[in-house]
């Protein structure tokens, strides 16, 4: 198991798609506050306030950027013969899938917190430290819980994407399906939840909805238990699903 994790970490470290995504996110994190500084649209916002203002964009980063990584990091192993070699090498299937899930989750967490972290650092340099939205909280009390929750939700989305990546054996199909399904699921929830209390309850307790509530939850110190337990349960369920799917998958 340790050797499998080390192999996956080496693969992640040299994965071009991972570095391309990371560098793109860093660039956006630098350009966004720079544009505000040049245009003078920051108002009275300080470093953390700018992060909050861009949290919706970060939500999109968490949802969609790992989709691309999942296609190349998980599904491409079928076409390149890596999966077959790992199994024929005597490794247990559950160990293979858990190693891939663990390392892919690390990559997804890095992607998830990279944008707000770069944004916070650059914005603090441009507009000063602290926050008008969190006047009674220190920088550590506001930014650390926010990054922690974003990492938790990044892990939850990563577990779901790993599951889809293991089902499909093609990078293109995995990326396309994840983009369409993630976007389509949110649209479907927003439409049908208006007329159905059950669907509304499911939506309100889904990672798709709760990730939008992270700033409000930290600001008001409410619903934190729900905010934490839902992504943990999502990760656990998807991890079990990954093990079941891969144990029954025919590897050619």
């Amino acid at each position: 198991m340790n050797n499998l994790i080390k192999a996956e970490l080496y693969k992640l470290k040299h994965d071009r798609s991972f570095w391309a995504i990371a560098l793109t996110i860093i660039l956006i994190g630098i350009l966004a506050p720079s544009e505000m500084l040049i245009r003078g649209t920051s108002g009275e916002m300080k470093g953390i306030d700018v992060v909050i203002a861009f949290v919706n964009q970060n939500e999109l980063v968490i949802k969609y950027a790992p989709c691309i990584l999942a296609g190349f990091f998980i599904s491409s192993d079928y076409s390149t013969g890596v999966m077959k070699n790992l199994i024929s090498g005597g490794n247990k299937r559950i160990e293979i899938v858990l190693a891939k899930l663990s390392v892919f989750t690390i990559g997804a967490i890095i992607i998830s917190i990279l944008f707000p972290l770069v944004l916070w650092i650059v914005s603090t340099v441009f507009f000063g430290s602290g926050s008008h939205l969190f006047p009674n909280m220190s920088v550590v009390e506001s930014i650390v819980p926010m990054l922690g929750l974003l990492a938790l939700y990044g892990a939850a989305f990563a577990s779901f994407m790993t599951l889809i990546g293991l089902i499909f054996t093609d990078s293109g199909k995995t990326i396309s399906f994840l983009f369409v399904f993630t976007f389509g699921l949110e649209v479907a929830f927003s439409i049908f939840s208006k007329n159905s209390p059950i669907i509304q309850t499911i939506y309100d307790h889904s990672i798709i909805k709760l990730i939008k509530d992270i700033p409000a939850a930290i600001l008001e110190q409410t619903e934190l238990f729900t905010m934490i337990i839902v992504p943990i349960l999502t990760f656990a369920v998807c991890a079990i699903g990954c093990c079941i799917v891969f144990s029954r998958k025919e590897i050619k």
Side-chain angles (χ1 to χ4, degrees):
M1 181 75 177
N2 288 337
N3 290 334
L4 287 171
I5 292 177
K6 289 179 181 177
E8 294 296 330
L9 286 172
Y10 179 85
K11 179 182 156 191
L12 179 66
K13 184 179 177 182
H14 294 82
D15 191 302
R16 292 181 180 179
S17 60
F18 171 71
W19 287 109
I21 294 169
L23 291 174
T24 302
I25 291 172
I26 291 173
L27 185 61
I28 296 173
I30 295 173
L31 291 178
S34 300
E35 190 269 346
M36 295 177 69
L37 180 67
I38 294 171
R39 290 179 176 273
T41 57
S42 61
E44 296 182 349
M45 287 194 293
K46 294 186 177 180
I48 296 175
D49 299 326
V50 175
V51 177
I52 299 297
F54 282 91
V55 74
N56 287 332
Q57 284 86 339
N58 185 64
E59 168 208 331
L60 296 177
V61 170
I62 292 179
K63 286 181 179 177
Y64 297 114
C67 294
I68 302 171
L69 184 62
F72 291 105
F73 193 79
I74 304 293
S75 297
S76 64
D77 282 354
Y78 287 105
S79 58
T80 57
V82 173
M83 291 292 197
K84 185 177 181 179
N85 292 336
L86 288 172
I87 294 174
S88 60
N91 298 291
K92 295 180 180 178
R93 289 198 176 205
I94 191 170
E95 292 181 346
I96 295 172
V97 72
L98 289 179
K100 288 189 175 298
L101 173 62
S102 301
V103 176
F104 177 68
T105 300
I106 292 172
I109 288 175
I110 292 173
I111 291 173
S112 301
I113 65 174
L114 194 57
F115 180 67
L117 192 60
V118 173
L119 195 62
W120 171 56
I121 294 172
V122 177
S123 299
T124 299
V125 173
F126 287 167
F127 310 118
S129 62
S131 168
H132 286 295
L133 293 174
F134 300 94
N136 299 322
M137 293 183 180
S138 67
V139 173
V140 174
E141 289 174 329
S142 55
I143 196 69
V144 171
M146 190 183 304
L147 293 177
L149 284 175
L150 288 172
L152 201 55
Y153 280 78
F157 277 102
S159 64
F160 172 72
M161 292 171 187
T162 302
L163 177 61
I164 300 301
L166 291 172
I167 293 174
F168 290 94
T169 58
D170 180 86
S171 300
K173 290 180 181 177
T174 298
I175 296 170
S176 301
F177 179 84
L178 283 173
F179 268 88
V180 173
F181 183 80
T182 305
F183 178 75
L185 188 63
E186 181 157 9
V187 173
F189 266 132
S190 64
I191 294 174
F192 295 111
S193 62
K194 296 177 182 176
N195 301 316
S196 172
I198 296 176
I199 295 178
Q200 181 68 55
T201 301
I202 295 173
Y203 180 53
D204 289 341
H205 293 79
S206 68
I207 56 175
I208 293 176
K209 168 64 166 56
L210 290 175
I211 192 174
K212 302 174 186 291
D213 300 335
I214 289 177
I218 296 174
L219 183 63
E220 300 170 4
Q221 294 289 299
T222 57
E223 304 291 343
L224 283 177
F225 177 77
T226 301
M227 296 292 296
I228 293 172
I229 199 67
V230 168
I232 291 175
L233 290 176
T234 301
F235 184 90
V237 170
C238 289
I240 294 171
C242 289
C243 294
I244 294 174
V245 168
F246 193 63
S247 64
R248 298 179 178 179
K249 192 79 175 179
E250 182 181 358
I251 310 297
K252 298 180 180 178

